[in-house]
């Protein structure tokens, strides 16, 4: 079968040589449309066109005429444009104004691609939603420039800086050539990792970060990631979405590795309340005294508070005065304070004397919410001294 095809192709080539006008006219038109490309590239492309014309002539069982060739292949200019796009070459320059406009649009699209990638990478590393949003917006702004340009995005691919970047590969005899080839071979594995990261992110946002849920969602996200990876190889316009999202996935992966797990918070460092002295509300607000009131909002005095196990509740003191100063009985001020009923006042450090002092509770105005008629807030005047207002009983046991 191969020998028969070879014989047919040779016969078609002979017929084209015998009546070269239609084929030569078509080749001349293709050559003229590709005149801006390097001569070596044009020669390779024309060899392929010449072979295609030979196959077409064999199919037509004759050299045909120029109209027959254009009817089957399109005009030489249109055919040359398809060859350009398939080979990744930019469109012909045309008028200088048009060429400058295409170059400006290509540079704008490339700049937005880089900007979106940087924003999403930084947003993933720092888990900053605003940076992620800016990156997505930058990618969306590039869409009106990229989408009409075609699958090969010639306005961007034809830029000299982009061509130099694409050609910047290690030399064949360089030790880095093997490393670059190995990293390129890992691209399908990255597609899988990217899908798992997308699954973990989606579960973290919309549900509990359970491993079983992440595995189930990964069945969809990994499949989608691999499909998009293959699609971006054929249609380069997808790169304006894939490359920035790769940056986001890489940033999240690094942030997760630093935090220890995908679900660990890394935006701020928390502390453990039990490691701090005293009583705290919501792990942030220190409670230094308790002011009990009755159902009518009237402040109570001489109140002892206990937890569910019968142990006394002590607000403690985080002001640095735990062991500073002594009371009249010789005990430390902090120990004497913990044995008193509420309200106790607070123990504070006095900058003027350089010693700790007991500050009695000040006036209190409260309004207790109730279905009953509201009671006017009650103010309690400041006692003259803490020891006079609140005698010290034996500590509860």
């Amino acid at each position: 079968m191969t020998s028969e095809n070879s014989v047919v192709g040779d016969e078609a080539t002979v017929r084209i040589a015998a009546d070269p006008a239609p084929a030569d006219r078509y080749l001349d038109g293709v050559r003229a449309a590709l005149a801006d490309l390097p001569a070596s590239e044009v020669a390779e492309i024309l060899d392929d066109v010449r072979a295609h014309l030979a196959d077409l002539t064999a199919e037509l069982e004759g050299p045909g005429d120029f109209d027959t060739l254009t009817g089957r292949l399109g005009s030489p200019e249109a055919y040359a444009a398809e060859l350009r796009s398939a080979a990744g070459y930019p469109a012909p320059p045309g008028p200088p104004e048009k060429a400058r406009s295409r170059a400006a649009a290509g540079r704008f699209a490339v700049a937005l691609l880089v900007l979106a990638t940087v924003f999403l990478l930084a947003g993933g590393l720092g888990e900053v939603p605003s940076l992620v949003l800016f990156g997505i917006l930058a990618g969306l702004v590039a869409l009106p420039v990229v989408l009409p340009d075609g699958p090969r995005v010639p306005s961007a691919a034809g830029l000299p800086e982009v061509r130099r970047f694409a050609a910047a590969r290690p030399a064949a005899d360089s030790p880095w050539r093997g490393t670059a080839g190995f990293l390129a071979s890992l691209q399908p594995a990255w597609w899988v990792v990217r899908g798992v990261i997308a699954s973990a992110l989606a579960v973290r946002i919309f549900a509990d970060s359970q491993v079983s849920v992440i595995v189930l969602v990964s069945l969809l996200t990994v499949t989608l990631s691999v499909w998009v990876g293959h699609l971006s190889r054929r249609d380069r316009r997808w790169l304006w979405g894939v490359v920035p999202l790769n940056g986001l996935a890489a940033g999240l992966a690094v942030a997760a590795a630093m935090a220890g797990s995908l679900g660990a918070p890394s935006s701020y460092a928390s502390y453990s309340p039990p490691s701090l002295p005293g009583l705290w509300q919501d792990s942030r607000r220190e409670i230094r005294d308790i002011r009990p009131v009755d159902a009518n909002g009237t402040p109570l005095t001489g109140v002892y508070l206990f937890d569910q196990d019968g142990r006394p509740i002590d607000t403690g003191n985080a002001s640095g005065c735990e062991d500073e100063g002594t009371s009249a009985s010789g005990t430390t001020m902090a120990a004497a304070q913990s044995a008193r009923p509420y309200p106790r006042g607070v123990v504070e450090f006095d900058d003027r004397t350089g010693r700790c002092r007991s500050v009695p509770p000040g006036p209190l105005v409260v309004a207790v919410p109730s279905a009953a008629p509201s009671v006017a807030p009650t103010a309690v005047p400041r006692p003259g001294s803490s020891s006079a207002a609140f005698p010290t009983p034996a500590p509860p046991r």
Side-chain angles (χ1 to χ4, degrees):
M1 189 70 177
T2 304
S3 60
E4 293 178 359
N5 291 338
S6 176
V7 171
V8 172
D10 292 341
E11 292 177 353
T13 304
V14 170
R15 284 196 293 270
I16 290 178
D19 187 12
D24 283 351
R25 285 179 58 193
Y26 199 90
L27 285 172
D28 289 342
V30 175
R31 183 183 291 107
L34 301 176
D36 60 297
L37 300 182
S40 59
E41 302 289 342
V42 175
E44 292 182 7
I45 294 175
L46 290 180
D47 287 341
D48 294 337
V49 176
R50 193 174 289 109
H52 194 182
L53 289 174
D55 293 339
L56 181 58
T57 301
E59 181 182 346
L60 296 174
E61 298 182 353
D65 54 18
F66 187 79
D67 292 338
T68 303
L69 295 179
T70 56
R72 294 294 296 271
L73 301 177
S75 66
E77 293 77 14
Y79 191 48
E82 293 180 4
L83 294 173
R84 281 177 177 275
S85 177
Y89 291 110
E97 296 80 8
K98 184 176 181 180
R100 285 194 293 268
S101 177
R102 289 177 63 86
R107 287 189 173 88
F108 180 66
V110 172
L112 288 175
L113 174 62
V114 174
L115 187 64
T117 304
V118 171
F119 272 134
L120 287 176
L121 175 61
L125 282 172
E127 296 187 4
V128 183
S130 59
L131 292 180
V132 176
L133 178 60
F134 284 139
I136 294 175
L137 291 177
L140 293 177
V141 171
L143 291 182
V145 180
V146 174
L147 291 181
D149 213 20
R152 296 290 176 175
V153 198
S155 63
L159 295 174
E161 49 268 41
V162 174
R163 295 177 70 86
R164 286 195 299 268
F165 177 78
R169 294 182 299 174
D173 57 348
S174 172
W176 297 104
R177 185 64 176 267
T179 303
F182 173 73
L183 293 177
S185 67
L186 295 178
Q187 189 177 41
W190 165 248
W191 295 344
V192 175
V193 173
R194 181 177 63 190
V196 174
I197 294 174
S199 171
L201 179 61
V203 171
R204 180 177 177 182
I205 294 175
F206 298 106
D208 294 332
S209 298
Q210 300 293 332
V211 176
S212 58
V213 179
I214 294 176
V215 171
L216 291 177
V217 178
S218 295
L219 298 177
L220 173 63
T221 56
V222 170
T223 302
L224 182 62
S225 177
V226 173
W227 176 75
V228 170
H230 283 290
L231 186 61
S232 63
R233 288 179 171 180
R234 301 192 304 269
D235 191 339
R236 312 305 287 176
R237 291 174 294 187
W238 282 85
L239 292 178
W240 270 255
V242 171
V243 173
L245 292 179
N246 281 344
L248 175 62
L252 290 174
V254 173
M258 295 175 61
S261 67
L262 286 173
S266 60
S267 57
Y268 63 90
S270 60
Y271 54 82
S272 176
S275 65
L276 297 176
L279 188 63
W280 295 78
Q281 177 72 26
D282 300 328
S283 305
R284 296 191 181 114
R285 184 169 60 90
E286 181 189 4
I287 299 176
R288 304 182 62 189
D289 194 12
I290 297 178
R291 309 294 295 273
V293 299
D294 62 13
N296 296 321
T298 303
L300 302 177
T301 60
V303 176
Y304 288 98
L305 301 177
F306 298 87
D307 63 12
Q308 69 281 353
D309 298 321
R311 294 173 298 190
I313 296 176
D314 184 17
T315 56
N317 183 51
S319 62
C321 291
E322 290 88 345
D323 299 320
E324 296 289 339
T326 57
S327 64
S329 61
T331 60
T332 64
M333 187 173 293
Q337 184 79 344
S338 64
R340 298 170 57 193
Y342 291 100
R344 297 174 176 174
V346 295
V347 176
E348 294 182 345
F349 183 79
D350 191 349
D351 294 331
R352 295 174 300 177
T353 62
R355 299 179 59 85
C356 293
R357 64 187 181 91
S358 178
V359 179
L364 177 68
V365 178
V366 296
V368 178
S370 173
S374 60
V375 179
T378 304
V380 179
R382 180 188 298 271
S385 64
S386 59
S387 59
F390 307 107
T392 304
R397 299 184 181 274

